[in-house]
Amino acid sequence: MFEFPDSLYCDVRIEEVFQTRIAFGFGDVQEMLERRYEAAFVRVFDGKRWYYSATSSVDAVQEHIDRLASLTTPSQAVSEHPVVQKLEAHRETLRQFSGPQSVSSKTIKEKYDLLSHYFPIIDSYDHIRLWTARYVDELRNKRFISSKGADCSFDYQKIGLLFSYEMSAKGNQIKDSFSYGAHVYRDMEAQDRKFANTLNRSADFLKRAKSVESGRYPVILSPQAAGVFAHESFGHLSESDTYQGDQTLKDRWVIGKQVAHKNLSIVDDGGVLGMGYTPFDDEGTKARKTYLIRDGVMAGRLHNASTAVDFGENLTGNARAISFEYEPIVRMTNTYIEPGKTPLCSLIGEVDNGFLIDTIKSGFGSTNFTVSPIIAYRIRRGTIAEPVKISLLTGNSFGTLFKIDGISDRASLGENPFVTCSKRDQLRLPIDFGGPYVRISEIDVVG
Amino acid sequence: MIREAYVETVGEICARLRGGAIDSTRSREITRGSVRLYENGKIGIAGALGEFDEEGLTQEAKKRLDMGVVYTASPTADKHEEREYIETDMDAYDFLWEVEEMLGEQNRRFPDCSFVHDIRYISESRHLRNTVGLDLYHKARYFEFYLTLKRKDSENVKDGTLSFRLPSFDKRAALDALRMLCDGLGQKPCAPEGRIPVLFFFNDPLYNKTLWETLNGISYGSGSSLYAGRMGEKVFADGLTLYQSRNRKDQFFNAFFDMEGTTNPEDRCLLIESGVFRMPFTDKMTATRFFLPLTGAAQAEYDSVPSMDYPHLAYQPSEHSLSELLSQSQRENSGRALIALQPTGGDFSSDGHFSLRLQTGLWYDETGCDAPVHNISLTTEIHKMLGDDWIGVPRHPLFHIPGLYGVCFWMTVQGPSPSDGRL
């Protein structure tokens, strides 16, 4: 298909994308967008430096390969380079969203009808001052071809609805949302009851939420909040390019070290059909289940080929780019905490004075992590009590992992197509996270 | 029917520096374009990536007019302007040679620190024209520096980041800023208590989140803004003057027009003037819907309907140095403020409380940095932050980077957390 130059490693990623976006607000249709494009990203490696180029014309890929090659210092030894040796060369096709399964087979009118089905429900609530609605879908076909002989293809599809709203009454207000997603259209059936429950929960929060005193409390995180916590507190620290070449951190983060309470296991797996589904990463590596923490012990890290060689570890399938314009860097896929053995009621029943974090609006992680809740409840003498306003949960990522003292027996992935992750200049990468309910014995709560 | 065409071409060479060497280079030059048709309060848009046929897009946009997307505002008419901002004639080889030079000097001068930098050389052109006399063209080249550093013995993933844009490759400016940061990070850490003056980079998104939410025309018009109904009132500190800016002096290097073709005199629109709330920011539909002044805050992807998004905000710097501003403040001070160098998340609550986690701060007195501060939580309230606790915008930009101003106000330290266990 392409003529790869001698004495260089080269790969090409071709992306064929179909996207729909519908927006509704203030009683009007604000967007009805369908977009299709095909584009490519080219990488060339001479053993010393990577050279990248993006093009919106697949016909021009050969030109880009040749131009990048002209910038390099070719070396016959490149095929023996450990990074090139490490790269996998699969020849496989995984397609599951073609034909009637494809979102491109539905009309934009059908998609608008799905969205507008909910309008009467949200319009029936008194305290809503403002609401907007969005429908998104995306079908992405990727093909990866390399000078090592790789030629693998797969498709990825997501569909989602999002209602954002502001409720206000008597000087109080809340900004909240309802969203859900799926991978095929037939799984997007109406969820009227769930939507109504979410709106009722927001209305209850608006009426009854109390302020809290800042301090250190026991906190139970919902699966959504626990997923964010796992992603922010340890997931980002597991992205090995974060400390590639940093001997201080390499010495600290040794596989086999106890890094968390013994009941905690965190996994990343791009092979699971979540929103972070990545059966082959953007270096052609096949997805696998990677334990980041297993029974409290650091069990692995996430890699691309370069970091895997640098750390002397195996590939994990985590080299991902947000689009054809960017090179793959080490990113999470579907990251989750494995379930424990404790029923949720026992987790709650053992808390005398603490909080349950139900929904969150954002999270951030590095050496420290922060989570901004939307809906939270006080737990008083083992019972869920009134809703509370908490602006921030925060702590040191390493210290907090040791304070997890209870994990519920059921876990779920978020499956929210609007959840994305940003790193460096690559914003809004689809990822997924989740887990069971997780109790932290004490954490800083800012009221 | 009014027809409007938009074409953008963005080229980039990005050098990634890691481990004292250039790790990779990335180049791209991508053209995107669209045709928008306006008729009877509706808009139809068709776009394409790469080369495209404008007539073909027009036919497609005609079909999309039937989709019922509402756009009742009037497209901008009778406005012609063409600007080119090109202060460098570097090619890719020159750029990489300069980056190598900077890298060599950095490795020699700062042996105790390690760095990961992305430095981008950007060339862009944007052209918006329509059949009612709009013809705006922007062409520019500039450099984006995204610098990340840490002490080699630090247990943090990174100790600080600094990002800024310059019209030419001024490696001296970048190296001087790194010197100040490295010097500061090498000092003995301290643990402040109580209320302290905190300096945010004016473009820090965590800090700006509150301004975007409260000065937003939709929030204002719908009544959810904390300042709803107070346009024209003196509600902020005397020394606070804030613009929505597309001016290069304010570290803004993109087009001088927004995605609806709105422009402003000197590329700035006053939102707050000496503490008086002049107007929230708006695009055309928001301005029309809520009877607000139009500020030109429309953004859009090449093929999407223009709508309001977070604009670039910039402050009028004061005539005073940081030390003078602190002296004028009614509280005792040491003539220096804590730069929020590495915030790690934070948020505003709906009733105006702002909480922030600061992984690394550096005490700063305009000549340099000393005494890092690690792992504290800071809190304030928006009314105080922009009111009684406002200190001001020092006249000298931070680290002497043109346009990179600091915004200073008092915050309360919640204290280093005893839960901050280290491995």
Side-chain angles (χ1 to χ4, degrees), chain A residues 13 43 87 142 144 154 241 268 278 280-285 302-307 315-322 327-333 426 429:
Chain A
R13 168 169 37 104
R43 306 193 310 166
L87 288 162
K142 283 193 180 186
F144 178 87
F154 73 95
D241 58 343
D268 185 273
T278 312
F280 295 100
D281 74 7
D282 291 328
E283 288 185 329
T285 301
L302 306 178
H303 286 298
N304 61 16
S306 167
T307 62
L315 291 171
T316 58
N318 290 88
R320 302 182 68 200
I322 53 167
E327 72 278 20
I329 58 175
V330 182
R331 307 296 294 264
M332 282 171 266
T333 58
Q426 298 202 37
L429 180 77

Side-chain angles (χ1 to χ4, degrees), chain A residues 21 25-26 28-35 37-39 41 48-56 67-68 70-71 108 129-130 166 173-175 211 214 216 237 241-246 248-249 252-253 257-259 306 324-327 329 361-362 364-370 372 389 391-392 394-396 398-400 402-403 424-426 442-444 446-447, chain B residues 12 14 16 18 22-32 45 49-51 64 67-71 93 96 100 114 118 120 146 150-158 209 213 218-219 222-226 285 289-290 301-305 342-351 353-359 375 377 379 414 416-423:
Chain A
R21 287 212 310 251
F26 301 103
D28 292 329
V29 179
Q30 297 180 324
E31 182 90 84
M32 293 280 261
L33 170 68
E34 279 184 333
R35 178 189 286 161
Y37 66 84
E38 192 178 27
F41 191 84
K48 291 181 179 163
R49 187 182 293 179
W50 285 94
Y51 298 82
Y52 308 134
S53 187
T55 174
S56 56
R67 188 178 56 76
L68 289 183
S70 73
L71 303 171
I108 199 164
R129 191 204 307 256
L130 188 68
E166 289 181 23
Q173 57 178 297
I174 178 174
K175 290 183 183 178
S211 297
S214 298
R216 191 158 300 127
L237 288 169
D241 58 343
T242 306
Y243 51 107
Q244 188 176 16
D246 185 331
T248 304
L249 289 181
R252 292 284 177 202
W253 293 95
K257 189 182 181 94
Q258 185 85 28
V259 292
S306 167
F324 78 96
E325 291 187 73
Y326 294 87
E327 72 278 20
I329 58 175
K361 55 181 164 180
S362 63
F364 190 98
S366 180
T367 310
N368 294 299
F369 74 92
T370 55
S372 305
K389 298 175 192 172
S391 58
L392 211 61
T394 184
N396 176 276
F398 321 134
T400 306
F402 280 101
K403 298 190 173 181
R424 284 174 46 196
D425 58 347
Q426 298 202 37
E442 58 170 20
I443 190 169
D444 289 334
V446 184
Chain B
E12 177 206 74
C14 175
R16 173 147 242 244
R18 169 196 287 281
I22 296 180
D23 178 65
S24 63
T25 64
R26 178 181 74 207
S27 61
R28 54 181 166 152
E29 184 173 287
I30 308 291
T31 296
R32 296 174 166 89
I45 306 179
L49 186 66
E51 288 180 15
R64 296 189 182 186
M67 288 182 172
V69 178
V70 173
Y71 189 91
Y93 291 98
L96 292 175
E100 298 260 21
S114 61
D118 283 338
R120 302 185 191 101
Y146 187 80
K150 65 165 284 194
R151 296 270 309 169
K152 282 183 178 167
D153 57 2
S154 167
E155 292 174 2
N156 290 326
V157 170
K158 54 189 171 184
K209 196 189 278 186
E213 289 193 8
I218 294 174
S219 300
S222 66
S224 65
S225 164
L226 292 169
M285 286 296 285
R289 186 171 287 124
F290 296 111
E301 291 182 75
Y302 66 103
D303 57 350
S304 64
V305 179
Q342 190 64 49
T344 49
D347 221 323
F348 286 86
S349 65
S350 56
D351 45 5
H353 290 275
F354 176 37
S355 305
L356 171 84
R357 182 73 171 181
L358 186 61
Q359 181 184 292
N375 301 320
S377 295
T379 60
Q414 293 287 309
S417 167
S419 68
D420 286 344
R422 294 296 182 110
L423 283 176

Side-chain angles (χ1 to χ4, degrees), chain B residues 10 33 47 59 99 111 115 130 135 147 153 193 202 242 263 271 296 304 307 348 351 387 394 412:
Chain B
V10 180
Q59 294 309 316
V99 170
F115 306 88
N130 67 24
D135 195 343
L147 313 178
D153 57 2
E193 293 178 344
F202 84 103
L242 180 77
T263 57
L271 304 180
S304 64
S307 63
F348 286 86
D351 45 5
T412 301

Side-chain angles (χ1 to χ4, degrees), chain A residues 341-359:
Chain A
K341 293 176 180 168
T342 312
L344 175 59
C345 57
S346 300
L347 279 189
I348 295 169
E350 291 162 8
V351 174
D352 185 50
N353 179 24
F355 300 104
L356 169 68
I357 308 301
D358 192 1
T359 63

Side-chain angles (χ1 to χ4, degrees), chain B residues 213-251:
Chain B
E213 289 193 8
T214 55
L215 302 181
N216 172 322
I218 294 174
S219 300
Y220 186 89
S222 66
S224 65
S225 164
L226 292 169
Y227 300 104
R230 303 195 65 182
M231 213 161 86
E233 292 181 29
K234 168 83 170 53
V235 288
F236 303 106
D238 291 342
L240 204 170
T241 293
L242 180 77
Y243 303 99
Q244 171 197 295
S245 177
R246 303 183 81 85
N247 189 314
R248 286 164 70 84
K249 289 177 185 166
D250 299 325
Q251 285 274 316

